[in-house]
Amino acid sequence: MASSSSLSAAPPARPHTAPTGIGEQLPQELYLEVRINQGSSTQLARFIATGQQLSASAATLQKLGLRLPEGVEPDQQSVDLAQLPDIEISYDARNQRLALQLPLAGLNRPPTQLRPATPPSVLAASDSSPGLLLNYDLHAQQQRGYRSASSFSELRLFGVGAGIWSTTQNTSLDADRGHWQHRNIRLDSRWQLDLPGPMLTLGIGDTLTGALEWSRAVRIAGVHLSRDFSLQPYRVTTPLASFSGDALLPSTVDLYINGIRQASRNVQPGRFQLDAAPTLNGSGQAQLLVTDINGQQRMLEFALYGTPTLLQTGLSDWSLDLGVLREDYGLRSFVYGDRPMASASLRHGVHQHLTIEAHTELSTDLQLAGMGAVALLGERGGVVSASFSSSRAGIMRGHQHALGYQWSAHGFSVSARTQRSSSDFRDAPAFLANALLPRRTDQFFVGLGNVHSGQFSLSYISQHYPGSLPTRLTGLGWSRNLHGNAWLSVQLQHDLDNRRTDSANLYLSLPLGRLTQLSSSVRHGSDGNALALQAGRSVPADAGGWGWRAQASLGTRRSANAELSHLGDAGQWRIGMDYDPDAGTTGYADANGSIVWFGRGIRALRQVDDAFALVSTNGVAQVPVRLENRLIGSTDAQGQLLVAPLRAWQRNLISIDTLRLPMDLLLDTPQQLVVPASGSGASVVFRLQPSRPLRLQVRGADGKWLGVGSTIAVELAGQIVATTVTGHDGEVYLQDPPADAMLRIPLDDSHDCVIPLPIALQGSDPPGITTLQCQP
């Protein structure tokens, strides 16, 4: 995404003024601090003063960013400043400064580059110890003599050598009228190494091959190597929006996109270029506001278009895969094909408006190659994509082509895509795994809406698989936010080939608070009419707690459901019952969470999809911990808390809620930024120490409160270990005074008052304010 414009304004013509303070007739060499158009500068330049004339070499003028007059050669040694068109010269002999004022046409500076301030692209991972983590998801149910239990688990080893090891499996136990059946299926086993610097991910084991929008992935066992932008999440990969202009005087440039300020920069006189990170997907409006030092403002408006499907110029995204096909996935543990295959995908930004794509697949008796492109039409014409692939599978030769277009703006969007495959076209999923490939796919979507009338949508989708009739569906939808955050939506679906499958849905939700809501829906379909009513309370995602849900359906198919759930520090569980007139009553229960060995001992925590942190508070229990300023829990009896989920390779703010800490605890730092590696744990230590804060009120020998700002020294064994001052009403605050300490208070130039701290105050809980008095 790129936009540019020129913004300029010339000042009123001013008469040339001869420099003042120059009266000598003999040439005089001067080194002056130069200021151009009131801009700040620390440049020193060499000039020759002869009478009322100032001159400099052409090279000096070019270095200052001034345009040479016509007829002046770049190597000329003396150029009279008065030769510069429409210039004003002001010479301050006392301070050896030279101020020049000239129009924009007289400046010849390279544009000032202004880029958005972003965190470093590569962040060092926080300290991590070796660990072993087990994610689990358990489910059990009973229905009319049939019992079943199943579990999904992931075992992950990290911090031992390079990379992480993981394996997943599915276990099931079924009992039908006393006959038990047991199955244990391994799913994926994988070793993965992330290299944030070059943004590379290397994986060995079970994996999915890389794919583009117009190709399909296949599950293999082998080697996967790819570019991974998620390892540098703060790096901007899409083209930057670029805005250029001119400033006659020192100015402030503010960039607004769709009315929201995105950047503000200070610029010096001359041309500037402001590069801003894209903040929208689709068409938008940008305003560039330039305010000079005199308060005068000028604004230009630009049309721009942003899309994540484009890459910055010169940036590439790619993947390489080599292995054998994984067969009967989810049914058997170790079944692989006997034909090796290779796959490669590439996306490369050749221009701010153009990204090219390529994909290839190779195997025994299979060769496939394809090219594609994604292009932005003009500044805001939308995005068009196209691709063409050709395959050879044995004696069959086929091809596939696709074409798409999308355009979106605030309140309106449209997208269309079509893909065609010949009858002999084969890719790796179709040739090696017998996965059906559609001969034809068409998609169309239009969205329109605003705050007052709601959101409208119209969609069409058509798919045609070989050996079956085509499926063509149209949909019409409307939704709107109502008063009090209520939500109303209507959805209609029509099958162009089978009207008996048409359906209509009406849905209404009514919030009763931050977590509780009521909802109802009415549905008409081929199986009849139904009315559903539901009430529920969501489980607080951060601090945890209780949740519940109750639902009843009336009509052709009657049903009922009730569920109770709880989220704690060790995971989440749910119990519930379903009722159906045909199937009867089904009771179920499930639980999910994690068990981790990390640091010292084994602990339970919530399910960890990616990264987590172990927070330690030096053994202090019940310390409230926040994640991104949201309360996430409190430390246990050992002063520890496992915090999940964290965002890998990003800055996660973990802090202590100091407002809830007792007064007798000291904290070295209230917050830390944690950057965990993918799938790993990070150690976060907050050093809390017991403290003895003392609040005193001190009277002088005359019985009056010590004056505000009086100096008080804390003395131990004749040595001053701390000093403080008094507040109003003689109040003094001391933090952890040592045992047997004395307070020394100067009364005048020759006399001090010494007060021993009462023994009752030392080592005890804060007793409130205690009054002490100097003895005469």
Side-chain angles (χ1 to χ4, degrees):
M1 175 173 63
S3 300
S4 63
S5 176
S6 177
L7 179 63
S8 61
R14 299 179 182 177
H16 168 64
T17 303
T20 59
I22 304 176
E24 301 293 337
Q25 298 298 321
L26 296 177
Q28 182 181 5
E29 184 179 30
L30 301 174
Y31 285 89
L32 306 178
E33 180 183 340
V34 183
R35 188 177 184 184
I36 299 175
N37 287 9
Q38 304 180 44
S40 60
S41 172
T42 58
Q43 296 182 86
L44 289 178
R46 179 180 178 273
F47 294 89
I48 301 297
T50 306
Q52 298 296 315
Q53 176 185 341
L54 271 179
S55 62
S57 67
T60 298
L61 297 181
Q62 287 181 317
K63 186 177 180 181
L64 291 173
L66 305 181
R67 191 179 301 278
L68 297 179
E70 293 185 6
V72 176
E73 300 296 331
D75 58 351
Q76 189 168 324
Q77 295 301 311
S78 179
V79 180
D80 186 359
L81 294 187
Q83 292 182 249
L84 300 179
D86 300 323
I87 190 172
E88 279 192 33
I89 304 171
S90 178
Y91 171 55
D92 183 352
R94 176 178 296 178
N95 295 306
Q96 292 295 285
R97 293 174 181 168
L98 180 64
L100 305 178
Q101 188 77 28
L102 65 164
L104 285 170
L107 300 178
N108 187 27
R109 295 174 171 177
T112 302
Q113 299 290 334
L114 305 172
R115 290 190 173 270
T118 57
S121 297
V122 182
L123 299 178
S126 302
D127 294 336
S128 178
S129 303
L132 186 66
L133 181 140
L134 175 66
N135 274 322
Y136 62 86
D137 195 334
L138 310 176
H139 180 81
Q141 69 176 36
Q142 179 174 351
Q143 177 188 27
R144 289 185 177 177
Y146 174 79
R147 300 177 182 178
S148 68
S150 63
S151 70
F152 171 84
S153 61
E154 177 199 10
L155 185 62
R156 189 190 309 167
L157 177 65
F158 56 89
V160 179
I164 63 173
W165 298 83
S166 65
T167 183
T168 58
Q169 66 178 6
N170 191 12
T171 302
S172 62
L173 184 63
D174 301 321
D176 187 4
R177 306 187 191 284
H179 300 285
W180 290 89
Q181 293 182 346
H182 172 266
R183 288 202 315 166
N184 187 54
I185 306 297
R186 184 190 66 88
L187 299 177
D188 296 302
S189 299
R190 177 182 173 90
W191 173 79
Q192 179 175 315
L193 175 64
D194 294 329
L195 302 174
M199 294 185 292
L200 293 179
T201 291
L202 172 64
I204 299 177
D206 300 300
T207 186
L208 285 171
T209 60
L212 302 173
E213 184 183 14
W214 42 272
S215 64
R216 299 195 297 176
V218 64
R219 191 177 298 275
I220 66 170
V223 180
H224 172 85
L225 180 65
S226 68
R227 171 68 50 82
D228 189 350
F229 291 135
S230 68
L231 300 180
Q232 294 185 16
Y234 298 108
R235 182 188 182 109
V236 179
T237 61
T238 57
L240 298 176
S242 181
F243 307 92
S244 62
D246 300 313
L248 177 64
L249 300 174
S251 304
T252 300
V253 179
D254 295 302
L255 173 65
Y256 293 83
I257 295 180
N258 288 346
I260 300 176
R261 190 171 72 169
Q262 305 293 335
S264 181
R265 301 287 188 274
N266 295 323
V267 297
Q268 293 299 313
R271 291 192 60 80
F272 62 85
Q273 179 175 315
L274 175 61
D275 295 331
T279 57
L280 76 164
N281 182 10
S283 180
Q285 197 71 18
Q287 294 86 28
L288 201 63
L289 179 66
V290 180
T291 307
D292 64 24
I293 58 176
N294 295 325
Q296 296 183 354
Q297 293 184 333
R298 294 159 291 164
M299 177 178 286
L300 282 186
E301 295 191 358
F302 309 89
L304 69 158
Y305 198 96
T307 173
T309 58
L310 292 176
L311 292 177
Q312 289 186 13
T313 303
L315 190 62
S316 296
D317 185 15
W318 53 268
S319 66
L320 297 172
D321 297 278
L322 178 63
V324 294
L325 182 70
R326 176 74 186 271
E327 297 180 348
D328 294 339
Y329 181 78
L331 300 177
R332 292 189 289 176
S333 299
F334 297 94
V335 181
Y336 299 96
D338 55 4
R339 288 186 287 187
M341 70 157 293
S343 173
S345 299
L346 171 68
R347 298 172 60 234
H348 179 73
V350 297
H351 186 268
Q352 295 289 85
H353 288 187
L354 178 63
T355 295
I356 60 173
E357 302 174 333
H359 180 75
T360 183
E361 298 171 1
L362 300 172
S363 184
T364 305
D365 297 328
L366 173 67
Q367 298 87 41
L368 181 148
M371 292 290 295
V374 179
L376 176 63
L377 303 180
E379 294 298 333
R380 58 180 303 176
V383 178
V384 62
S385 60
S387 66
F388 179 83
S389 303
S390 178
S391 72
R392 177 179 179 182
I395 62 173
M396 296 184 297
R397 296 175 181 266
H399 63 272
Q400 173 185 277
H401 60 273
L403 181 65
Y405 175 79
Q406 66 176 26
W407 190 90
S408 62
H410 182 68
F412 179 76
S413 63
V414 59
S415 65
R417 189 174 187 275
T418 182
Q419 183 170 304
R420 303 285 193 276
S421 302
S422 66
S423 59
D424 290 336
F425 179 79
R426 296 292 185 272
D427 59 2
F431 186 71
L432 300 178
N434 296 320
L436 286 179
L437 180 69
R439 296 278 179 82
R440 176 175 177 174
T441 300
D442 299 311
Q443 297 173 344
F444 178 75
F445 175 83
V446 175
L448 176 66
N450 54 56
V451 176
H452 301 290
S453 61
Q455 311 295 321
F456 295 88
S457 65
L458 174 65
S459 63
Y460 169 80
I461 183 170
S462 172
Q463 276 195 331
H464 185 194
Y465 283 90
S468 63
L469 296 175
T471 300
R472 297 181 301 162
L473 301 174
T474 60
L476 178 64
W478 173 82
S479 61
R480 184 186 175 189
N481 281 319
L482 305 179
H483 181 71
N485 292 325
W487 177 261
L488 177 64
S489 69
V490 179
Q491 300 292 329
L492 305 176
Q493 182 173 294
H494 173 55
D495 191 331
L496 297 176
D497 300 300
N498 185 4
R499 297 188 60 182
R500 290 179 299 176
T501 61
D502 291 352
S503 64
N505 291 273
L506 173 66
Y507 176 79
L508 172 66
S509 68
L510 179 63
L512 300 181
R514 189 173 64 90
L515 299 173
T516 306
Q517 72 170 15
L518 296 175
S519 64
S520 64
S521 63
V522 179
R523 183 181 185 276
H524 168 75
S526 59
D527 56 350
N529 302 321
L531 169 65
L533 302 174
Q534 178 175 301
R537 183 183 188 274
S538 302
V539 176
D542 294 321
W546 293 90
W548 56 270
R549 179 172 60 88
Q551 179 181 353
S553 296
L554 305 175
T556 307
R557 291 188 61 87
R558 294 179 300 156
S559 64
N561 172 267
E563 181 180 281
L564 180 67
S565 60
H566 181 266
L567 176 64
D569 294 339
Q572 183 176 10
W573 57 261
R574 299 184 306 161
I575 58 173
M577 297 185 66
D578 289 326
Y579 170 75
D580 184 274
D582 298 329
T585 301
T586 302
Y588 64 89
D590 60 46
N592 65 74
S594 300
I595 299 174
V596 60
W597 172 77
F598 184 68
R600 298 178 180 178
I602 298 177
R603 300 174 180 86
L605 74 159
R606 301 174 185 178
Q607 198 166 67
V608 179
D609 294 327
D610 193 358
F612 69 95
L614 175 61
V615 177
S616 175
T617 55
N618 275 7
V620 180
Q622 297 303 312
V623 175
V625 179
R626 291 182 175 270
L627 174 62
E628 304 296 345
N629 295 320
R630 308 186 312 268
L631 183 64
I632 200 72
S634 300
T635 56
D636 58 16
Q638 288 74 40
Q640 295 182 337
L641 176 67
L642 287 164
V643 177
L646 266 60
R647 304 181 306 274
W649 302 112
Q650 297 186 42
R651 292 174 171 174
N652 298 264
L653 178 64
I654 297 181
S655 59
I656 299 298
D657 191 346
T658 55
L659 296 179
R660 300 189 183 185
L661 283 181
M663 291 183 60
D664 59 348
L665 287 177
L666 278 181
L667 179 63
D668 58 346
T669 177
Q671 61 185 28
Q672 297 186 39
L673 290 173
V674 183
V675 183
S678 300
S680 302
S683 299
V684 183
V685 178
F686 291 96
R687 293 178 174 82
L688 273 74
Q689 300 292 341
S691 173
R692 298 196 313 274
L694 299 181
R695 294 179 62 193
L696 309 173
Q697 282 183 302
V698 182
R699 298 181 184 272
D702 56 1
K704 297 181 179 180
W705 299 121
L706 292 181
V708 176
S710 301
T711 301
I712 295 181
V714 180
E715 186 177 283
L716 180 66
Q719 300 292 326
I720 296 177
V721 296
T723 59
T724 185
V725 294
T726 58
H728 292 283
D729 297 331
E731 190 165 329
V732 177
Y733 180 84
L734 298 178
Q735 186 72 48
D736 289 327
D740 303 324
M742 312 283 287
L743 298 184
R744 181 174 293 275
I745 306 169
L747 298 178
D748 50 42
D749 294 340
S750 57
H751 296 86
D752 292 342
C753 168
V754 179
I755 307 176
L757 288 178
I759 297 178
L761 296 179
Q762 302 178 14
S764 63
D765 293 332
I769 298 180
T770 299
T771 301
L772 301 178
Q773 182 172 355
C774 290
Q775 297 299 324

